Amino acid sequence: MSQAGFPSTSRARAVQPSRSRAAQPEDLAHIPWLPALGADERQRVLADLRVVQVEAGELVCRVGRPVTYWFGLVDGLLKMSNDSAMGIPITFTGLSPGGWFGEGTVLKNEVYRYNIQALRKSVVAGIPAETFHWLLGRSIGFNRFVMNQLNERLGQFIAAREIDRLNHPDARVARSLAALFHPVLYPGVGEVLRITQQELGYLVGLSRQRVNEALAALQADAVIRIEYGGVRVLDLERLRSYRRS
DNA sequence: TCATTAAATTGTT
DNA sequence: AACAATTTAATGA
């Protein structure tokens, strides 16, 4: 199964530079650790905070770049992957609004080991590594958030192992889709998850053909609807608990 | 705005 | 893996 490098995932076309804008009040409302800070701490954060609009397909941070920011997703959907140049081991994780990432690498002051790519048009915020460290040594509430974040990540990791153990391909595709949806806390069904079958194949570790087949089965069960460049979730509950029919 | 062309994605074998 | 069919995005009149 030669994976012939990593197929430039979805539409990684060169997009014009992201529009950086000042942080809006509604952005701040989506930063979960902000309320945990004291007034003076918050003041510094607001001064250092940067907010960026990224288009679908844009890379937020690239493997190997030195760490400068601790990032958080304000709105949209991001995909985290470790497709290096060799690109055999591939792990994917969906990132939800309110989720912050990169603390591991920021803590150790290493280079990024992951690519973060926007699956949809998204709003990403970030604070400089120095500010991150400053908060870490100062605010208990902030530490609590980071700890919670790490714990959550561990939970996702374990869930991923569990999905790995599922032998039925259809079920694996279904559960992985549900896992991508979960963090997003969708208000209702009928949402389109913009991800290609090729990407899904890498996500679950199956061939594109098999994914296509699995999706067809899921569609036949009226759990999802296949659309060009994505799938529409019709029944999230059944998707979560899908097993072979 | 519409038609044409290129590229991306899907459906099948 | 290869191929055809379909959909979308880009381009220029």
Side-chain angles (χ1 to χ4, degrees):
Chain A
M1 51 181 96
S2 72
Q3 311 220 309
F6 196 74
S8 55
T9 179
S10 80
R11 27 198 73 149
R13 57 180 177 267
V15 184
Q16 37 193 306
S18 318
R19 198 164 62 86
S20 176
R21 64 163 204 237
Q24 302 295 314
E26 64 263 28
D27 296 332
L28 303 183
H30 291 278
I31 301 179
W33 44 269
L34 214 45
L37 302 184
D40 47 343
E41 292 157 357
R42 189 170 323 166
Q43 188 179 349
R44 164 157 184 189
V45 165
L46 293 187
D48 294 346
L49 192 70
R50 303 219 315 129
V51 179
V52 169
Q53 269 257 22
V54 292
E55 297 298 318
E58 253 187 294
L59 289 172
V60 176
C61 70
R62 220 184 298 267
V63 167
R65 266 225 297 249
V67 170
T68 46
Y69 279 89
W70 184 54
F71 290 109
L73 180 57
V74 172
D75 186 37
L77 182 60
L78 299 184
K79 180 192 69 177
M80 189 177 191
S81 61
N82 77 334
D83 54 291
S84 59
M86 327 299 137
I88 315 255
I90 300 172
T91 55
F92 283 95
T93 313
L95 276 168
S96 56
W100 287 67
F101 50 93
E103 65 278 338
T105 37
V106 171
L107 276 172
K108 288 180 285 186
N109 211 27
E110 292 175 333
V111 296
Y112 288 117
R113 289 176 314 207
Y114 301 100
N115 280 328
I116 307 289
Q117 189 181 30
L119 289 178
R120 296 207 57 76
K121 185 170 165 187
S122 305
V123 179
V124 177
I127 61 172
E130 293 135 39
T131 311
F132 176 80
H133 283 114
W134 182 77
L135 284 173
L136 216 51
R138 201 164 197 283
S139 164
I140 292 195
F142 187 75
N143 276 276
R144 198 170 284 140
F145 175 84
V146 172
M147 235 186 265
N148 207 62
Q149 193 77 35
L150 289 172
N151 186 50
E152 184 108 351
R153 186 118 352 119
L154 184 59
Q156 287 189 346
F157 185 75
I158 292 175
R161 299 291 310 195
E162 199 146 326
I163 292 178
D164 266 346
R165 203 173 293 174
L166 291 175
N167 36 11
H168 194 56
D170 293 7
R172 289 185 49 162
V173 172
R175 299 274 303 264
S176 298
L177 269 179
L180 260 183
F181 254 86
H182 153 66
V184 189
L185 298 175
Y186 273 97
V189 291
E191 292 289 341
V192 219
L193 179 57
R194 190 155 202 312
I195 185 173
T196 66
Q197 300 180 3
Q198 177 78 85
E199 281 183 313
L200 256 180
Y202 284 105
L203 173 66
V204 295
L206 294 173
S207 68
R208 185 176 71 79
Q209 294 94 310
R210 192 58 189 84
V211 168
N212 184 270
E213 202 180 327
L215 287 179
L218 291 174
Q219 179 173 243
D221 274 2
V223 178
I224 63 166
R225 176 149 27 110
I226 303 174
E227 296 191 358
Y228 185 85
V231 298
R232 183 178 298 273
V233 175
L234 302 177
D235 190 335
L236 186 50
E237 278 315 306
R238 275 210 289 153
L239 189 63
R240 282 206 177 108
S241 58
Y242 194 88
R243 45 198 92 254
R244 60 174 317 176
S245 40

